[in-house]
Amino acid sequence: MPTGLKARSSSVKIDFTIKIGGEAGQGLATMGFLLSKAFARKGLNVFANQVIQSRIRGGHNWFQIRASDARVLAPSAATDILIALDRESSCHLKELKANSVVIFDSTVVKMESTLGCPLDIPLAKIASENGGNKIMSNIAAVACVLGLLEYDVNVLFELIRESFGDKDKAIGDVNIKVAQAGYDLVFKKVKCNKLPSLSALEGKRKMLVSGSEAVALGALAAGCQFISAYPMSPSTGIMTYLAAKEDDYHVVVEQSEDEIASINMALGASFAGARSMTASSGGGFALMVEGLSLAGMVETPIVIVVAQRPAPATGLPTRTAQEDLQFVIHAGHGEFPRMVLAPATIEEAFFATARAFNIADTYRVPVIILSDQFIADSYLTVDDIDLKEVKIERNILSDEELKKLKEYKSYQITKSGVSPRALPGNPYFFVTADSDEHDETGRITEDLDFMRPEMVKKRNRKNLGLLKEARPPIRYGPKDAEDCLIGWGSTYGALKEAVDLLNSESRKRHEKVALFHFSDVWPLNEKHFTFLKKLEFAAVVENNFTGQFARLIAETTGKVIKNRINKFNGLPFEAEEIAKAYRKFKKNG
Amino acid sequence: MPTGLKARSSSVKIDFTIKIGGEAGQGLATMGFLLSKAFARKGLNVFANQVIQSRIRGGHNWFQIRASDARVLAPSAATDILIALDRESSCHLKELKANSVVIFDSTVVKMESTLGCPLDIPLAKIASENGGNKIMSNIAAVACVLGLLEYDVNVLFELIRESFGDKDKAIGDVNIKVAQAGYDLVFKKVKCNKLPSLSALEGKRKMLVSGSEAVALGALAAGCQFISAYPMSPSTGIMTYLAAKEDDYHVVVEQSEDEIASINMALGASFAGARSMTASSGGGFALMVEGLSLAGMVETPIVIVVAQRPAPATGLPTRTAQEDLQFVIHAGHGEFPRMVLAPATIEEAFFATARAFNIADTYRVPVIILSDQFIADSYLTVDDIDLKEVKIERNILSDEELKKLKEYKSYQITKSGVSPRALPGNPYFFVTADSDEHDETGRITEDLDFMRPEMVKKRNRKNLGLLKEARPPIRYGPKDAEDCLIGWGSTYGALKEAVDLLNSESRKRHEKVALFHFSDVWPLNEKHFTFLKKLEFAAVVENNFTGQFARLIAETTGKVIKNRINKFNGLPFEAEEIAKAYRKFKKNG
Amino acid sequence: MADLESLGKYETAWCPGCGDFGILDAVRDALVKLDADMHKCVFVSGIGQAAKLPQYMNCNFFNGLHGRSLPVATGIKIANKELVVIVTSGDGDIYGEGGNHFMHAIRRNIDITVIVHNNQVYGLTKGQASPTSDLGFVTKVQTHGVISEPVHPLGLAVTLGAGFVARSFSGDKEHLSSMIQEGIKHKGFSLVDVLQPCVTFNKKNNFVWYKQRVYKLAADHDAHDKHKALEKALEWGDKIPTGVIYQDGRPTYEDACGLMKDKALIGQDVSSPSRIAPVLEEFL
Amino acid sequence: MADLESLGKYETAWCPGCGDFGILDAVRDALVKLDADMHKCVFVSGIGQAAKLPQYMNCNFFNGLHGRSLPVATGIKIANKELVVIVTSGDGDIYGEGGNHFMHAIRRNIDITVIVHNNQVYGLTKGQASPTSDLGFVTKVQTHGVISEPVHPLGLAVTLGAGFVARSFSGDKEHLSSMIQEGIKHKGFSLVDVLQPCVTFNKKNNFVWYKQRVYKLAADHDAHDKHKALEKALEWGDKIPTGVIYQDGRPTYEDACGLMKDKALIGQDVSSPSRIAPVLEEFL
Ligand SMILES: Cc1ncc(C[n+]2csc(CCOP(=O)(O)OP(=O)(O)O)c2C)c(N)n1
Ligand SMILES: Cc1ncc(C[n+]2csc(CCOP(=O)(O)OP(=O)(O)O)c2C)c(N)n1
Ligand code: SF4
Ligand code: SF4
Ligand SMILES: [Mg+2]
Ligand SMILES: [Mg+2]
């Protein structure tokens, strides 16, 4: 069942999707961002995602905004309002419903739809007649959408004013004029509009945050002071955001010559005491693999963001995937502990990043944030981020503590495997890091009888601590569910919705379904899988081909789950797709 | 039970171990090689391995030769003759038995042993008195060993002559004189010698081959024409050997600037039609991971040798380990098929390498030879290598075939997933390779509805072919065994011997034991594990800490094997260690 | 043999007005003028806007990883020296990610021709500084402007002993085409660094900026004098020299290597495993 | 403060007679002469014989991966500019595996001192050619002798705009010590390339070979003249210049960056998550 303005489950009254289709360089992102922000300003929940080609101009992209009075975390399959800026946008016509509206300017692009209401609006003319240039027809289109929904257009004016500021006030004013004209035209004249009115909407402003921003904010909150990275879609947004905050928040953004330099620089900075990170996609991370092993050996904390995209090799640079799970878990020669966190939502990406720094510091291990293009480039409204929930745990010996010590050994063998950490530059003891097998003082050793095996055990003992850090899956759905879907990372929104959808269906058709969703994907604690014993049916849902999480479950628990729901064309799941695949299993099963 | 000159099982009559201990740079390798070769010349089976530190001079190393009239594939824990060139060699005294002999020169090094017979021989004096220099005392020591065994010293003379040739005949003659003197001294004078005589020994010459040489020979046999590699222990021997054969066998050895260049150059050469390979250890391979993913995407054949050493990071450069199994299996972003072969013996390393090139060409996939320092640096006698067993299967479209084609598409979608391969430069069709997701012609695509999923499926379909290529484990031991040990790769020799050892023990002590040993370690075919269902007890034996193969078994079969025998100090297994660990399980179990 | 029609016409993913079009035109022109046997040419590229060039012609190509075109090209040429190997790369691709290969490919003097679309910016990833970006160049990542000294690719190439070092401008098709032709004809590593406006992300070094600065090297410039060449190679500012800055005749890798004097490597017979029987003897 | 005793004495893994001993001696001498606060010094190295140097002193060190000392050193210096960061590296480590970092660290002009044990060979891996090996140098891998043009590290460094470029010889402790001292005192990237005999694997460029060729730059050598410097930097053969070849005063990374003018990065307060509350407002 597609979403729509009408309530789908009793709690949801508003749930609509606006899609803007056009070429790269036509300004889709700006339009989509403005609309999303406009809805967030009046307290609507927004989830917006971008589907883009790897090019700067041309091609066909879209920006998709879903707004609801309930929390939404995934795109919907249906479109209520389509803004068609190019001919190729006609590929979205099939997503329209009877009451949907298509906005286009027939002087620019022709659109013929059998579904929904076609709205040929002279956007370019509106812009030019009101003193604007060609690109301002976009703002007219945005205003039209608001008009169709009878949405308070002042919110848009406010956003325009904020964006142009005092410096470019004149241009801002033209934009407002164009917007007003577009709004009036649609608001007053369009008859076929059967979309309900949002004129009465009043709610508290919500933050609108992208996945990349959430990670960057999490890093800032955690006191990260250094990121060295090499641009790579879809991870670049993190360094870009941090670069804008360099001065105010004491963080250095260094664009490295390559990803090998990225991780090694970050390790150097971390060794010297700055919380440090790097970010890339799978291909850039592939170049960091030796450095990851180094981090494991020198036991220097580091946070690495891997924003996945479809691969192998260059693959599809601007699309989404969950193909690098087993890769990041096993990356690096030799054996050393690491933790992998795959945030389920943009909000979680903020907290997971802050948490990653604590885990890295506490255990002196690398922590990987495994996100993807779908998380990175999407926007989500967030009610409130309670910064008090963020604690900074450095676990670095203070001057006081060091002063009291008789000796300090960088790789002291301890019960937990964690050696107390001091920073170089302290006036009491020397601090060492050695990539060779070393003794407790960090000096190269070839003692195979004692030192090597002890060091191996010490390093790997930290895994026990990490296993305790690892959080159990989120359980969602009815208590008495007999069936379950299992997911991890960014598929959460679609899965949650799929579960709702399935449970709203007749009990005759299939059993009740629950979701078990993992964000902490490595190390995996066998205990977190006891639910498998109690359930009749389980299917693992992943944005990849080979079913990597399913394999990890088998490895951890011995339970081989053959039911798999996989999508690997570069697009995120929609709830309905998952529901359909589940129903098919039940029919065959 | 330690090995010894006396037969251990009925079939073995001769089985003794000579250990040469000394500093790096003292010539251990030359001495050990000469002795090994001397034994091989009269048809003895030899297994020799080197235990070395990562330095050019100094430290303490040893070279260990085990000779037997049966096939031996692993070192033994006991030493029959110890040549002690440095003081630290005293650490080997505990390995001696009552009849063992220690050869040393008290003018150079003092040795006091409670076990065995100490033989203070004026090696340096022998050398100088016979016109030799200091280093020639080594040859005297080698001759002493032969004397103790009453071994035909002419074999040694022959080897010396071959090695010095006509050009350096004079030096060779001095060496022979020194050797004769050493031999005579021991042969005639030593009373405490209770070692049996090998004077009657006559057998057919055997080849003596190191693991690195075996791989290089396999590559030559397969018609490999290009290796680009960057020096890294313990893999360097492969490129060094091939470099010596460049002219005669049409193979270019290019030392690359780094390992990234290694793999990319090899892929370029392979694309152009030369069978190509690269070799490194885990750390160098870590830098090839992005290139591996490229190989998966462009479907260009390549053979990659990963000679493992203890890690993480620099670790222990000259020691052995099996720590990179899961790493090489999951290395590379995205999902693509690969095959991993872990030769169980040096002989197998030859055939596995030749086979690797065929698999790479047949399926257009990367094939990894996963060896280790223990395989690479050891020497094994090989009866005969039948070159007729080596077939070259290129699977490249011939001029004839191309001529007949109407069109050629580099990434044609086929049932097997394998697209027919043509080489660039052919006069008929263009040939392409694209790291982006591409269509059949190899041009970049963003078609998510059809092309992307089809290409994902096509690439991964090749895995079905690889699963068929994968060979089942070797089964060794009694048919009615209730217990089993499971191993992979280079531990084969020690495991086989452990099984013999255990089965020679009383049935009251424990059950009969069989070995299931895997050389083809990826992809794993579930069917090859049916034996698990029939057995009472299974333990997985690995040269690593975390039990990687055991995890792969769980992933593949759902059978979680908790009994693990792991060694991770950088040294290879000895049979007795494994047997002991097994007995302990049985006692506790 | 190459003519414009058989080279084909493809829709590109470049922005209208991009300097890459000029380079594609010049490459096509050069191929036609050289009457190249396209089946014997292989184009190799990495990733970036520049690196897409081979996708827009009917040709053999290997469009590999970002930064890794040179080792791939080296491998191809070693395997089959009969092929004409042409690399198209971006400034980020070859002087940034691939910097080490740039150094070492030049040292080898492998006979390939490298065309660098030098727009002084990372185009495909949306406008970060590249190694050739001018000091002070402001981007969304270099918010305070670039503080690293730009690389001087031609200076580097001369210092490292490249056999043929030239600069041209995407706005001068004829000159660029002739540089490419000379580069291809030169035996050994040839670098053609092409100044190329990126209309979308480099608003500083735009068409006019380049146009006003580029000049052609005087006819009496001695491209064989290394120190003179270095001076010209490092010239950058109000005047930017174009043309063949340095040329040298040291032996190519293929000649020096000795293993492919008579025949390309892949033309040599390695088809019989039994040929290695004599080697096995050595182990007895 | 540094004195020979507190620097300690360690057993080394080097071959007797190796030039590395001379370098270690000179480093110790320089530290003593500079009266360095050893707790404020960090030694960074990669992997190779050269890279083991920090293991043989009482000091802070980060002995990282082969080829990757420069990015590590860069990160350390950025995080805490109060530290004196000294890199000890080999010719393979820094011009081979780490070549790209060499290029880009110089461009950044980060204030670190880099001592390269240039023995023109890969020592630790038993004698293959390095990027600085002479043409024709025969090894077990380069069985026909080296055919790639050697890199000219000093030429590269000058071309790339390194602030301080010097050469010395492990056999001349006094000169080497003074070069290291000057390098450490120089604000910005300092390169001290040290000719170092490898007695085991480089039988060509041995002690005598170097001894006969090295000469000290004339007192009137103008280290601030880039083109003169380039000429000297590329001089190699019968005569090999030692001394400060090039010196320049462009701003260091730490100064240009602007984020650590008053205080080292790690000295700045980032301990309270609530400090970012104003940023969150921006998202409303
Ligand atoms: C290993 C890796 N890192 C990063 C990227 C992302 N990436 C693609 S192109 C590019 C830079 C492009 O700049 P340039 O080479 O100058 O080409 P242009 O687009 O300007 O023509 C980057 C960083 C990648 N594909 N692979
Ligand atoms: C990634 C990687 N590749 C290769 C090696 C092996 N390796 C260790 S040291 C070395 C070269 C040493 O040469 P150089 O840097 O000149 O130092 P030297 O030993 O001559 O002082 C190599 C290739 C390694 N440790 N890591
Ligand atoms: S972004 Fe720049 S370089 Fe890339 S196509 Fe557009 S104009 Fe050309
Ligand atoms: S191998 Fe050479 S560089 Fe290494 S320690 Fe020995 S002499 Fe020195
Ligand atoms: Mg560019
Ligand atoms: Mg060296």
Side-chain angles (χ1 to χ4, degrees), chain A residues 56-57, chain C residues 13-21 49-50 119 121-124 126 196-202:
Chain A
I56 306 301
R57 296 277 178 273
Chain C
W14 292 325
C15 311
C18 176
D20 284 334
F21 289 103
Q49 303 287 22
N119 54 9
V121 75
Y122 282 12
L124 190 58
K126 300 197 171 182
Q196 171 236 325
C198 165
V199 296
T200 307
F201 295 114
N202 192 336

Side-chain angles (χ1 to χ4, degrees), chain B residues 56, chain D residues 13-15 18-20 49 119 123-124 196-201:
Chain B
I56 307 300
Chain D
W14 292 326
C15 312
C18 175
D20 284 333
Q49 304 286 19
N119 54 10
L124 190 59
Q196 171 236 325
C198 166
V199 297
T200 307
F201 295 114

Side-chain angles (χ1 to χ4, degrees), chain C residues 20 48-50 89-93 116-124 128-133 196 198:
Chain C
D20 284 334
Q49 303 287 22
S89 184
D91 43 326
D93 202 41
V116 182
H117 303 219
N118 183 356
N119 54 9
Q120 303 188 256
V121 75
Y122 282 12
L124 190 58
Q128 302 81 17
S130 90
T132 55
S133 293
Q196 171 236 325
C198 165

Side-chain angles (χ1 to χ4, degrees), chain B residues 129-356:
Chain B
E129 279 178 358
N130 289 280
N133 54 21
K134 209 179 121 202
I135 195 79
M136 285 190 200
S137 53
N138 286 350
I139 210 84
V142 166
C144 286
V145 170
L146 297 185
L148 285 171
L149 298 167
E150 301 182 1
Y151 199 89
D152 181 359
V153 75
N154 288 307
V155 179
L156 178 61
F157 297 165
E158 185 182 273
L159 287 168
I160 293 174
R161 270 185 221 108
E162 286 171 20
S163 133
F164 287 96
D166 284 343
K167 225 182 79 203
D168 294 318
K169 189 172 177 305
I171 315 174
D173 286 345
V174 179
N175 272 285
I176 289 175
K177 215 171 144 202
V178 172
Q180 183 76 61
Y183 188 83
D184 290 347
L185 185 79
V186 173
F187 187 63
K188 286 172 202 150
K189 297 211 192 124
V190 178
K191 287 174 202 137
C192 70
N193 180 14
K194 288 177 198 123
L195 298 168
S197 163
L198 297 179
S199 61
L201 198 75
E202 274 312 332
K204 200 175 156 241
R205 279 185 182 203
K206 284 189 161 67
M207 289 170 61
L208 183 75
V209 187
S210 79
S212 292
E213 288 162 350
V215 169
L217 289 172
L220 282 187
C224 170
Q225 290 199 280
F226 185 66
I227 176 170
S228 45
Y230 188 83
M232 185 162 193
S233 307
S235 71
T236 319
I238 298 166
M239 74 190 288
T240 309
Y241 184 79
L242 289 173
K245 303 291 168 198
E246 278 192 315
D247 298 321
D248 294 342
Y249 294 94
H250 314 303
V251 53
V252 170
V253 178
E254 180 58 22
Q255 182 178 316
S256 54
E257 55 272 28
D258 56 32
E259 290 83 351
I260 303 174
S262 303
I263 188 165
N264 280 284
M265 267 190 212
L267 286 173
S270 175
F271 174 72
R275 279 198 154 175
S276 303
M277 70 184 292
T278 180
S280 189
S281 183
F285 174 74
L287 291 164
M288 299 183 190
V289 165
E290 194 199 12
L292 184 75
S293 177
L294 174 66
M297 190 60 148
V298 295
E299 306 192 45
T300 298
I302 184 171
V303 174
I304 303 168
V305 182
V306 180
Q308 297 164 100
R309 68 191 214 189
T314 309
L316 291 165
T318 55
R319 313 295 182 167
T320 200
Q322 294 185 305
E323 297 176 2
D324 297 337
L325 177 62
Q326 284 183 301
F327 173 36
V328 303
I329 287 173
H330 296 295
H333 51 303
E335 301 176 302
F336 56 93
R338 79 199 70 190
M339 189 139 186
V340 183
L341 311 177
T345 67
I346 287 172
E347 195 172 344
E348 194 181 301
F350 171 84
F351 289 104
T353 306
R355 184 174 158 232

